[in-house]
Amino acid sequence: MTFRERVLNVVRQVPRGRVVSYGQVALWVGSPRAARQVGGVLFGLRDADGDVPWQRVVNARGGISTFKVGAGELQVALLRAEGVEVGEAGVDLARWGWDPPPEAWPWTVPPAPP
DNA sequence: ACGTTGACGTCAG
DNA sequence: TCTGACGCCAACG
């Protein structure tokens, strides 16, 4: 199971109408400091990954971090289409952020330090 | 094996 | 509140 596969698995679990941050995804896949790499995975998404709701991943402040041309507007449009309120500063994580049940992440295996 | 590269997060001003 | 510097670490050449 590669890092990329774990990331996509997690993102696929995010319910419609909710959002999570890159940092949260990184935490759940077992690499708490790899938030940046999560972005890297989403950047490389292809059409074949159409079942991955990448638009539900935002930064720690609820802002849209996408820089790909058109992708930012697309992300906002997709989120609004599923009921998420997106303002100038992004979304309100306290309201739209998703708090997952820990038992729902079997692949999340935080290594026990000695 | 090794250097570079960032859809990020955090902290000092 | 807003900015810039820096650490982070999986891919990729």
Side-chain angles (χ1 to χ4, degrees):
Chain A
M1 180 76 90
T2 68
F3 179 81
R4 177 188 138 88
E5 290 171 323
R6 292 199 301 275
V7 167
L8 297 186
N9 278 340
V10 167
V11 175
R12 271 191 274 256
Q13 307 301 318
V14 181
R16 183 184 163 80
R18 311 305 292 279
V19 300
V20 296
S21 72
Y22 296 95
Q24 280 180 288
V25 175
L27 183 65
W28 299 330
V29 300
S31 297
R33 322 294 166 69
R36 207 168 178 174
Q37 286 60 249
V38 172
V41 168
L42 298 186
F43 177 84
L45 284 182
R46 323 264 201 84
D47 295 340
D49 304 306
D51 62 322
V52 178
W54 58 271
Q55 73 274 20
R56 294 172 194 155
V57 186
V58 297
N59 67 28
R61 302 174 331 220
I64 305 299
S65 291
T66 308
F67 66 82
K68 264 188 177 179
V69 284
E73 290 81 351
L74 176 59
Q75 181 168 17
V76 171
L78 289 172
L79 287 176
R80 284 176 175 161
E82 50 186 68
V84 177
E85 290 179 13
V86 185
E88 281 300 314
V91 310
D92 181 3
L93 285 182
R95 181 172 176 186
W96 301 106
W98 183 47
D99 255 326
E103 65 273 16
W105 310 105
W107 48 81
T108 301
V109 192

